[in-house]
Amino acid sequence: MTTFVTMDKLINYLLEFGQLNQQQIDLIKRKAQVLELKKGDYFSEAGKTPKQVAFIKEGIFRVCYYNSNGDEITKYFIDENNFAVDINSFNQKIPSSEYVQAVTDCSLLVFSTDSFNDLSATIIQWDGIINKITEKALIEKVNKLSPMLAEDATTRYLNFLEKFPNLANRIPLSYLASYLGITQSSLSRIRKSI
């Protein structure tokens, strides 16, 4: 039963961005595979070419990288009912510069490169739907990152809590501190003062 519910979430999400007939919906359902990841597992890794796209049914991913000093930096988080992939590396078939890691146990629907390409070749409006989803994700990413550049740490934290109330208690403080661009001890001080 849960697989059908998950498929319905995926289909409803896709339908927000374009029209699909029943035959196309059935094809999408056949191409998707269920994948479970444990907390800490990597969906994709830097230096490797992404070979699948995930729709997150349950759980949270983080996208991170290592800077020139070897520090692990969390760029952003991806939660339920969103797609996850390094789209540039996936489309161009080049190694990624980022890691996509499960912050919590995750339940996913994944499409392999071949399945994704089959959908593109078979469903006329598939590329348009994916382009709209990608555009939405890029706008959301800019909206998450841009304001943070001019804000102090406390404001960044409060804004994070306001914009992502369902994430704050589900991700480790070390990841949240990295995302906010502060140390974990600074985040602890901010949390105590609020």
Side-chain angles (χ1 to χ4, degrees):
M1 178 68 182
T2 57
T3 301
F4 292 114
V5 172
T6 304
M7 290 290 184
D8 287 344
K9 283 184 179 180
L10 168 64
I11 298 305
N12 288 337
Y13 182 77
L14 292 170
L15 289 172
E16 290 177 28
F17 299 94
Q19 297 296 312
L20 296 165
N21 64 37
Q22 191 59 50
Q23 186 177 2
Q24 294 166 329
I25 290 170
D26 292 342
L27 177 63
I28 293 167
K29 289 180 178 180
R30 285 194 306 273
K31 295 290 184 181
Q33 300 294 315
V34 175
L35 175 65
E36 304 288 331
L37 290 181
K38 295 289 181 201
K39 177 181 177 179
D41 288 351
Y42 288 96
F43 177 70
S44 64
E45 297 181 56
K48 297 182 180 178
T49 304
K51 300 202 181 312
Q52 52 191 2
V53 176
F55 180 79
I56 304 172
K57 169 198 162 196
E58 190 174 312
I60 302 169
F61 277 167
R62 75 179 181 125
V63 177
C64 61
Y65 67 96
Y66 290 90
N67 68 14
S68 58
N69 296 329
D71 300 322
E72 185 179 82
I73 307 296
T74 298
K75 287 179 67 175
Y76 55 93
F77 299 98
I78 308 169
D79 63 356
E80 288 92 354
N81 300 318
N82 285 293
F83 279 97
V85 67
D86 178 341
I87 195 71
N88 186 49
S89 297
F90 182 79
N91 285 341
Q92 295 187 35
K93 297 173 180 50
I94 58 173
S96 179
S97 60
E98 304 170 333
Y99 294 86
V100 179
Q101 183 183 32
V103 175
T104 63
D105 290 347
C106 292
S107 180
L108 315 168
L109 290 173
V110 296
F111 297 93
S112 68
T113 304
D114 289 342
S115 292
F116 212 75
N117 290 339
D118 287 349
L119 291 171
S120 177
T122 308
I123 301 174
I124 293 169
Q125 59 273 42
W126 181 256
D127 290 343
I129 290 171
I130 296 305
N131 287 341
K132 288 177 186 174
I133 291 170
T134 303
E135 181 180 329
K136 175 184 174 270
L138 289 173
I139 290 168
E140 287 175 355
K141 190 187 311 184
V142 167
N143 289 340
K144 285 179 193 175
L145 298 176
S146 294
M148 288 181 45
L149 300 175
E151 297 170 343
D152 65 54
T154 302
T155 304
R156 289 195 302 265
Y157 177 66
L158 291 172
N159 285 340
F160 179 86
L161 292 177
E162 184 181 314
K163 291 178 185 172
F164 311 106
N166 63 330
L167 291 183
N169 294 324
R170 297 174 63 198
I171 56 178
L173 290 181
S174 59
Y175 295 165
L176 180 53
S178 171
Y179 170 75
L180 295 172
I182 59 176
T183 63
Q184 194 168 340
S185 59
S186 293
L187 178 57
S188 293
R189 279 194 300 277
I190 291 168
R191 288 167 53 104
K192 284 179 188 172
S193 71
I194 295 176

